[in-house]
Amino acid sequence: MKPIDVLIVDDQSLIRAGFSALLSAEEDMRVIGTAASGTEAVALARRDKPQIVLMDIRMPDGDGISAAAQITGELETRVIMLTTFELDEYILDSIRAGASGFLVKDTEPAALIDAVRVVAGGDSLLSPSVTRKLLSQIAATPKRERPDDRMLKELTVREREVLAQIGAGKTNAEIAAALYITPLTAKTHVSRIIGKLAVRDRTSLVVLAYESGLITPGAQGEAGR
């Protein structure tokens, strides 16, 4: 089995060394490089095309958000943002830049390893607390031009229900329970919605669910009704 190629980006050498040693010990992972800045990260990603980039948000010489936007815009690479605090003020900007999830730097080793596998497998990382912070950021952001609402018309009634659940930060198991379907059916709906709306992953769907007007901040509790 081909290992998961990982690029680690952080301006702190101790973080780079620690994460590199941890992931290199896994049989199904390979650290193909490290970078200390966003500028260096973009150059290495273009050259080596890793599957996963662990990207610090705040760095000198090219911040992580700008670097993530360039990498996800040009490559199939998926980016996991590294934050000092789970409720980082730049969560929304990171998702708009194409990030597939978030990890705090002091996360447990097993959680870091699992996160890399999850995102490499096509899923995303968005914990309930991060979702709540994301929704509060959307609510506080001045209205942007909304995505083309005609895109949502391509969704079936059931798919709109599933998208509303995703917007509320529900897992596939929680969606299945709320809509009385199986987790496998929920997963299938999620995959189809991602394809129809032409977004990268589940985290992008959370933003789209709100910015399209399908649901509104403060109404997420109603999504399970």
Side-chain angles (χ1 to χ4, degrees):
M1 182 176 65
K2 187 177 182 300
I4 301 168
D5 288 337
V6 182
L7 172 65
I8 299 169
V9 186
D10 196 287
D11 60 335
Q12 297 181 46
S13 58
L14 188 59
I15 295 290
R16 297 197 304 273
F19 281 12
S20 181
L22 179 67
L23 298 181
S24 295
E26 298 299 307
E27 291 184 358
D28 61 340
M29 296 183 193
R30 178 174 60 187
V31 176
I32 61 172
T34 64
S37 71
T39 302
E40 185 182 5
V42 172
L44 289 179
R46 285 171 174 162
R47 185 190 72 186
D48 299 330
K49 298 178 174 57
Q51 288 174 262
I52 299 292
V53 175
L54 293 175
M55 178 85 72
D56 188 15
I57 288 182
R58 299 175 183 84
M59 293 178 291
D61 189 22
D63 66 273
I65 294 174
S66 298
Q70 290 183 68
I71 291 170
T72 60
E74 298 176 18
L75 307 169
E76 294 299 318
T77 299
R78 295 168 68 84
V79 177
I80 301 173
M81 305 304 291
L82 300 172
T83 69
T84 305
F85 304 103
E86 189 174 42
L87 303 185
D88 194 285
E89 62 184 288
Y90 296 111
I91 287 175
L92 180 55
D93 289 340
S94 296
I95 290 180
R96 285 179 173 147
S100 294
F102 301 84
L103 282 176
V104 289
K105 292 185 181 181
D106 62 353
T107 191
E108 291 295 322
L112 171 62
I113 293 167
D114 286 344
V116 171
R117 290 182 178 133
V118 164
V119 174
D123 289 325
S124 56
L125 293 170
L126 206 60
S127 69
S129 57
V130 169
T131 300
R132 287 192 294 271
K133 179 65 175 178
L134 171 61
L135 300 186
S136 70
Q137 288 183 8
I138 292 173
T141 300
K143 284 201 175 214
R144 294 153 45 100
E145 183 177 343
R146 290 193 168 187
D148 190 344
D149 289 350
R150 288 175 296 180
M151 293 174 64
L152 296 186
K153 293 179 180 178
E154 305 233 350
L155 303 182
T156 65
V157 172
R158 176 60 88 188
E159 287 168 347
R160 281 173 173 255
E161 291 173 343
V162 171
L163 180 55
Q165 295 287 328
I166 295 170
K170 300 291 183 64
T171 65
N172 287 345
E174 291 169 336
I175 292 172
L179 300 181
Y180 303 102
I181 57 179
T182 67
L184 180 57
T185 299
K187 183 176 181 181
T188 299
H189 281 309
V190 173
S191 296
R192 287 177 179 167
I193 293 168
I194 288 173
K196 285 184 177 182
L197 298 182
V199 297
R200 287 182 62 88
D201 52 33
R202 193 185 196 100
T203 53
S204 301
L205 289 179
V206 174
V207 175
L208 190 147
Y210 283 84
E211 293 192 331
S212 68
L214 180 63
I215 51 178
T216 57
Q220 61 266 32
E222 299 174 6
R225 295 177 189 174

